[in-house]
Amino acid sequence: MSNLTKRKMNKFVIEEGENNDGLHVDITPVLSRKASSIFSIDTTPLAPPNESDIAKFTSDDYHFSMIRNLHMADFITMLNGFSGFYSIVSCLRFTLTSKPHYMQRAYFFIFLGMCFDFLDGRVARLRNRSSLMGQELDSLADLISFGVAPAATAFAIGFQTTLDVFVLSFFVLCGIARLARFNVTVSYLPKDKTGKSKYFEGFPMPTTLLLVFFMAILVSKDYVFDKIPLGIVREGKYFEFHPLILLFFVHGCGMISKSLKIPKL
């Protein structure tokens, strides 16, 4: 065969050449890398970490291995955790100064954490390989940004009775349990043909943003402390509480529910 040429078209290699019988065309399928971008909504599972990735974390031959082996997506996940922590700091500043802009900043950083939570998965797909610590880092960051931070903002704006605090503690503990269960059971959930889980068991952690949005409205209208809607039940007595705190109780129950299955989009 002479004048042999090869051209790539989509998922095929086309070989063209001339011999005594004329033009010969051979179409052979080849693997092609799927294009990905930071704005992709594709959630197909990534390739797992390979033995080289594991060795870099476990071997004594690598210095500063913790920092050197983190992927870009891991750093973005930690920005999610930073956003949650800064939200908590803003709550503390509000309790010290009573300046409302600190609460606005607290809510802003929780929503910023949601942006980082979205971006880390998109960035991981640019590399087409999952991080060895990615899932664990994501769960820990989500706990801070979507568990502890919303509870802290609720306390800061007036949900401060003993029973209120117990409900907020229950809410955070439900978040811990929900994330731990996800890490353990995610590989056992039913998958679609792309390998993606078909549904969430219980409310995903980022759904606590609905509570955050509701509290942001309360702050914008100055419905805080003694102005919280529905007031306080049994004020000045044992087991006094704000009825609105039950939203956190219900949401916590939804996060740990086994029967509640929310389809993935």
Side-chain angles (χ1 to χ4, degrees), residues 73 76-81 83 109-123 134-135 137-143 145-146 179 204-207 209:
I76 295 176
T77 300
M78 288 195 285
L79 285 175
N80 176 15
S83 299
F109 272 94
I110 293 177
F111 284 103
L112 184 63
M114 177 193 65
C115 296
F116 289 129
D117 188 48
F118 172 82
L119 286 176
D120 60 5
R122 310 282 89 73
V123 171
Q135 181 171 292
L137 281 176
D138 190 66
S139 292
L140 293 171
D142 284 355
L143 175 62
S145 293
F146 310 130
L179 291 169
M205 282 297 292
T207 58
L209 291 171

Side-chain angles (χ1 to χ4, degrees), residues 57-250:
F57 275 104
T58 58
S59 174
D60 294 332
D61 297 333
Y62 299 90
H63 299 288
F64 304 104
S65 60
M66 176 62 73
I67 301 299
R68 291 170 58 190
N69 295 326
L70 290 177
H71 298 178
M72 179 61 69
D74 295 332
F75 287 106
I76 295 176
T77 300
M78 288 195 285
L79 285 175
N80 176 15
F82 163 78
S83 299
F85 174 73
Y86 201 91
S87 173
I88 296 170
V89 171
S90 296
C91 291
L92 296 175
R93 287 174 172 167
F94 173 73
T95 58
L96 290 173
T97 65
S98 298
K99 295 180 179 179
H101 72 273
Y102 283 124
M103 284 308 304
Q104 296 169 359
R105 186 179 300 175
Y107 295 128
F108 168 77
F109 272 94
I110 293 177
F111 284 103
L112 184 63
M114 177 193 65
C115 296
F116 289 129
D117 188 48
F118 172 82
L119 286 176
D120 60 5
R122 310 282 89 73
V123 171
R125 294 185 186 285
L126 294 178
R127 188 173 183 267
N128 281 339
R129 180 179 295 169
S130 60
S131 165
L132 185 64
M133 298 197 306
Q135 181 171 292
E136 284 69 25
L137 281 176
D138 190 66
S139 292
L140 293 171
D142 284 355
L143 175 62
I144 298 172
S145 293
F146 310 130
V148 179
T153 59
F155 179 86
I157 66 173
F159 295 94
Q160 299 176 356
T161 71
T162 300
L163 199 55
D164 289 344
V165 173
F166 272 113
V167 172
L168 293 175
S169 300
F170 171 80
F171 169 78
V172 173
L173 293 175
C174 287
I176 296 174
R178 192 255 182 271
L179 291 169
R181 183 184 66 186
F182 173 80
N183 288 349
V184 171
T185 64
V186 63
S187 60
Y188 299 98
L189 294 177
K191 305 292 192 299
D192 59 20
K193 61 182 179 180
T194 66
K196 182 180 68 173
S197 299
K198 292 183 178 180
Y199 55 79
F200 293 105
E201 282 188 336
F203 290 144
M205 282 297 292
T207 58
T208 62
L209 291 171
L210 296 174
L211 297 174
V212 173
F213 182 72
F214 176 68
M215 289 187 292
I217 294 176
L218 295 182
V219 172
S220 68
K221 296 183 178 297
D222 196 30
Y223 292 156
V224 296
F225 298 116
D226 58 343
K227 300 178 184 178
I228 293 177
L230 304 182
I232 186 171
V233 176
R234 297 180 57 82
E235 186 173 3
K237 301 178 182 178
Y238 288 112
F239 305 116
E240 60 180 352
F241 70 97
H242 293 86
L244 280 184
I245 201 65
L246 295 177
L247 292 175
F248 284 85
F249 178 80
V250 172

